C-alpha cells in the first residue's frame, strides 16, 4: 500500500511517474530496513508512512536514525545520503516534479544529483514556510469554534 503514488490513488491511472514513486519507496525500505507502512510507529510518533518518517528525520539532520540499525555502521555514509536524496526526489507529491527513471539511473551513477537536490531543498523549504504561515494564520487554538463545548440548539421551527 505505501508504494502507491498519490495520483494513482485518486485517478487509478498509472504512468512512468507512478513507477518512479514506488521505486523511491523501495529505496527507502532498503536503506531503513522498515516497511512502507508501519502502524507500530504510532506508539512513538504520528508518522505511519515511512516516507513521512524519513522526511522528518532528514529535516532534523538525523541520518543515522534513518539507516537500518542492523547494518551496525557498516556502510558508506555518502552513498546512503545519496540514496536517500534520490528516494526523496522520486517520491515528490507532484508527478511532474519526479525525475524520469533514466535520470534516476544517472543520479545513482553520480550525475546531476547535487543540482536536483539543491532545487528540491529550496522548494521544500518554501513549501514548509508557506505551510507554517498558513497554520499560524488559521490557528485552531482554544478560541476556535471547533473546540467549543457543545451547545444546546433551539427547538423545532
Amino acid at each position: 500500500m505505501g508504494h502507491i503514488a498519490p495520483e494513482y490513488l485518486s485517478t487509478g491511472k498509472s504512468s512512468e511517474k507512478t513507477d518512479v514513486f514506488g521505486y523511491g519507496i523501495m529505496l527507502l525500505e532498503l536503506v531503513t530496513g522498515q516497511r512502507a507502512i508501519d502502524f507500530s510507529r504510532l506508539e512513538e510518533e504520528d508518522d505511519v508512512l515511512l516516507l513521512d518518517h524519513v522526511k522528518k528525520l532528514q529535516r532534523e539532520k538525523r541520518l543515522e536514525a534513518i539507516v537500518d540499525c542492523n547494518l551496525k555502521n557498516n556502510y558508506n555514509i555518502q552513498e546512503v545520503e545519496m540514496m536517500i536524496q534520490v528516494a526523496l526526489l522520486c517520491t515528490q507529491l507532484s508527478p511532474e516534479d519526479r525525475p524520469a527513471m533514466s535520470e534516476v539511473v544517472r543520479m545513482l551513477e553520480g550525475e546531476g544529483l547535487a543540482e536536483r537536490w539543491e532545487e528540491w531543498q529550496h522548494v521544500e523549504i518554501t513549501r514548509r514556510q508557506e505551510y507554517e504561515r498558513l497554520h499560524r494564520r488559521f490557528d485552531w487554538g482554544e478560541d476556535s469554534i471547533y473546540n467549543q463545548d457543545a451547545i444546546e440548539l433551539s427547538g423545532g421551527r
Side-chain angles (χ1 to χ4, degrees), residues 5-132:
E7 70 275 11
Y8 182 79
L9 289 173
S10 62
T11 66
K13 295 179 182 173
S14 65
S15 69
E16 178 186 345
K17 299 299 179 136
T18 57
D19 293 341
V20 169
F21 184 92
Y23 182 77
I25 296 296
M26 187 221 32
L27 282 178
L28 292 178
E29 287 181 322
L30 286 173
V31 170
T32 64
Q34 299 177 33
R35 293 198 171 273
I37 296 178
D38 185 357
F39 291 103
S40 69
R41 274 196 293 273
L42 277 177
E43 296 171 9
E44 300 167 16
E45 55 186 276
D46 293 334
D47 298 323
V48 171
L49 296 176
L50 178 60
L51 177 59
D52 294 338
H53 177 67
V54 169
K55 278 185 174 182
K56 184 178 103 184
L57 292 172
Q58 191 272 333
R59 270 194 314 272
E60 296 170 355
K61 309 264 189 258
R62 296 179 49 209
L63 193 63
E64 73 288 342
I66 295 173
V67 180
D68 186 350
C69 62
N70 292 321
L71 293 176
K72 299 181 178 58
N73 293 325
N74 189 19
Y75 55 87
N76 181 310
I77 192 72
Q78 286 83 20
E79 289 178 359
V80 167
E81 190 170 10
M82 180 184 71
M83 285 184 66
I84 292 169
Q85 290 174 357
V86 170
L88 292 177
L89 290 170
C90 288
T91 55
Q92 294 180 81
L93 189 59
S94 171
E96 294 83 26
D97 294 337
R98 295 179 206 141
M101 277 310 293
S102 58
E103 188 178 355
V104 170
V105 171
R106 283 194 305 276
M107 287 188 292
L108 289 172
E109 292 173 342
E111 294 178 36
L113 176 59
E115 298 83 13
R116 187 78 187 244
W117 181 249
E118 188 72 31
E119 289 173 24
W120 182 82
Q121 283 192 306
H122 178 70
V123 169
E124 278 296 301
I125 289 169
T126 304
R127 283 183 185 152
R128 191 118 194 104
Q129 289 170 341
E130 181 66 15
Y131 172 80
E132 289 170 359

